[in-house]
């Protein structure tokens, strides 16, 4: 009996191992006072003077949410008991394991030589972007010299190869680049034309979904830029929490929906049309044979 109690006690110690995280800047200095939570923002903790935070009962499949300077970030624990996060020079937040530390300085001008303000710039993930300032300047962190910059402006996407450069002036000519999709999606509160949608979005067609080799729709979306799917099937859009699902124009759950039933999926990061319900973004699903 004594031996059994000892085993149970030992198991309890392992099961209750705390999750420890650290938030630092690119120079390795800790950042204190950052709000961190697992599910409920009301149960958030804050990083201490060492930039550390602890959750005593975090599960190995949990997603950690971080509220930093008005932006929300999310990171899957993926079975880890600790995590180091880096706040990049451009204000975005990265998992230390995926941070390469390279920065690129850009300056956007139009065909008249005037600065382009408010253009969205990203490398590979349209949900993880920066915007050009009033002078047309931008800084994007965590890139490599072989990356291609994608600049979304005035109905077009412009692809600019970095070619090893650490910065450049970029002239955006009128009506050049790839035209942003004219497709309309029904979000349950009217239709939105994607080229007029001001926020970032991602799209997968039926063929792309089938190519993932997954049968469950939620599992297939882990291949989509900006989407995090935990081992338990919890889904979140990067920098936000749980999304609102709209299937054929109706807010509903995707439970049981298979890849073979779906014509396309469009993920809208900004679900402001739904108020607080769309704060985590919107996943719009159109099934095969739908009228939407």
């Amino acid at each position: 009996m004594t031996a059994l109690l000892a085993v149970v006690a030992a198991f309890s110690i392992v099961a209750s191992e705390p999750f420890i995280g650290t938030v630092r800047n690119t120079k390795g200095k800790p950042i204190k006072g950052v709000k961190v939570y697992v599910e409920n923002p009301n149960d958030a903790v804050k990083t201490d003077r060492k930039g550390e935070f602890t959750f005593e009962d975090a599960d190995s499949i949990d997603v950690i949410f971080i509220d930093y300077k008005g932006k929300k970030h999310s990171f899957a624990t993926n079975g880890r008991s600790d995590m180091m996060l880096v706040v990049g020079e451009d204000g975005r937040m990265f998992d230390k394991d995926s941070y390469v530390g390279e920065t690129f300085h850009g300056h956007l001008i139009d065909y008249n030589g005037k600065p382009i303000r408010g253009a969205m710039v990203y490398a590979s993930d349209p949900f993880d972007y920066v915007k050009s300032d009033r002078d047309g300047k931008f800084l994007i962190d965590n890139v490599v010299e072989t990356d291609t910059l994608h600049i979304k402006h005035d109905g077009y996407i412009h692809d600019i190869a970095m070619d090893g450069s650490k910065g450049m002036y970029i002239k955006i000519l009128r009506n050049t680049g790839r035209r942003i999709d004219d497709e309309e999606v029904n979000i349950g509160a009217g239709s939105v034309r994607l080229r007029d949608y001001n926020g970032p979005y991602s799209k997968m067609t039926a063929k792309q979904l089938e190519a993932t080799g997954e049968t469950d729709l939620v599992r297939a979306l882990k291949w989509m830029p900006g989407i995090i799917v935990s081992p338990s099937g919890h889904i979140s859009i990067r920098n936000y929490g749980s999304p609102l699902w709209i299937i054929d124009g109706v807010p509903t759950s995707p439970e049981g929906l298979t890849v073979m039933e779906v014509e396309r999926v469009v993920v809208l990061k900004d679900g402001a049309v739904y108020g607080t319900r769309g704060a985590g973004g919107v996943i719009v699903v159109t099934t095969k044979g739908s009228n939407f």
Side-chain angles (χ1 to χ4, degrees):
M1 177 64 74
T2 302
L4 178 60
L5 290 175
V7 170
V8 172
F11 178 78
S12 298
I13 292 174
V14 173
S16 61
E17 182 179 0
F19 180 90
I20 301 175
T22 307
V23 181
R24 298 180 182 274
N25 62 20
T26 56
K27 297 180 180 179
K29 294 184 178 181
I31 301 178
K32 67 177 182 179
V34 179
K35 185 178 178 181
V36 188
Y37 60 94
V38 175
E39 294 182 356
N40 188 348
N42 295 326
D43 295 331
V45 299
K46 289 186 177 181
T47 55
D48 60 21
R49 60 186 180 84
K50 295 181 180 180
E52 296 183 353
F53 61 90
T54 303
F55 290 110
E56 296 295 340
D57 55 354
D59 202 332
S60 61
I61 60 174
D62 277 335
V63 175
I64 302 296
F65 297 96
I66 300 178
D67 192 338
Y68 179 68
K69 290 188 175 180
K71 293 186 67 176
K72 290 185 174 63
H73 308 262
S74 59
F75 300 90
T77 58
N78 289 330
R80 292 175 291 180
S81 60
D82 60 78
M83 177 187 296
M84 179 173 287
L85 302 171
V86 179
V87 178
E89 294 183 38
D90 57 8
R92 295 181 300 155
M93 191 172 290
F94 309 94
D95 190 327
K96 180 65 168 59
D97 293 340
S98 62
Y99 182 70
V100 298
E102 296 293 331
T103 59
F104 181 92
H105 297 260
H107 192 165
L108 300 178
I109 55 176
D110 64 15
Y111 51 93
N112 288 322
K114 296 182 179 180
I116 295 175
R117 178 181 182 180
M120 292 170 47
V121 184
Y122 59 94
S124 58
D125 184 352
F127 290 94
D128 199 9
Y129 65 94
V130 298
K131 283 190 174 183
S132 57
D133 64 19
R134 61 184 300 173
D135 297 317
K137 297 179 180 179
F138 68 89
L139 165 67
I140 187 166
D141 202 354
N142 201 38
V143 294
V144 296
E145 60 183 16
T146 56
D147 274 340
T148 296
L149 296 179
H150 307 286
I151 302 167
K152 180 180 177 182
H153 171 67
D154 197 23
Y156 290 83
I157 297 178
H158 307 266
D159 305 312
I160 309 295
M162 289 174 52
D163 291 332
S165 175
K166 300 296 183 183
M168 64 176 70
Y169 278 86
I170 301 172
K171 178 177 284 190
I172 302 297
L173 301 179
R174 178 181 290 175
N175 299 335
T176 61
R178 296 183 285 116
R179 191 174 182 84
I180 295 176
D181 207 331
D182 275 329
E183 175 184 8
E184 289 190 356
V185 292
N186 188 291
I187 60 173
S191 294
V192 172
R193 191 169 64 167
L194 289 181
R195 68 171 301 218
D196 295 332
Y197 175 65
N198 292 324
Y201 68 88
S202 291
K203 183 177 73 170
M204 288 185 79
T205 63
K207 287 185 177 180
Q208 291 172 323
L209 289 167
E210 292 169 16
T212 66
E214 303 282 352
T215 55
D216 180 72
L217 176 62
V218 172
R219 298 290 181 186
L221 294 188
K222 69 183 180 183
W223 302 101
M224 204 170 195
I227 297 293
I228 296 175
V229 181
S230 71
S232 65
H234 177 271
I235 191 168
S236 64
I237 298 175
R238 185 167 298 164
N239 301 335
Y240 285 82
S242 299
L244 174 67
W245 288 80
I246 303 295
I247 301 177
D248 293 339
V250 179
T252 188
S253 168
E255 185 177 357
L257 194 60
T258 66
V259 166
M260 296 304 294
E261 297 175 88
V262 176
E263 180 65 33
R264 69 175 182 271
V265 176
V266 177
V267 177
L268 308 176
K269 182 177 180 181
D270 181 6
V273 66
Y274 278 96
T276 56
R277 286 197 301 161
V282 181
I283 299 179
V284 183
V285 179
T286 303
T287 61
K288 293 178 179 177
S290 169
N291 294 322
F292 292 101

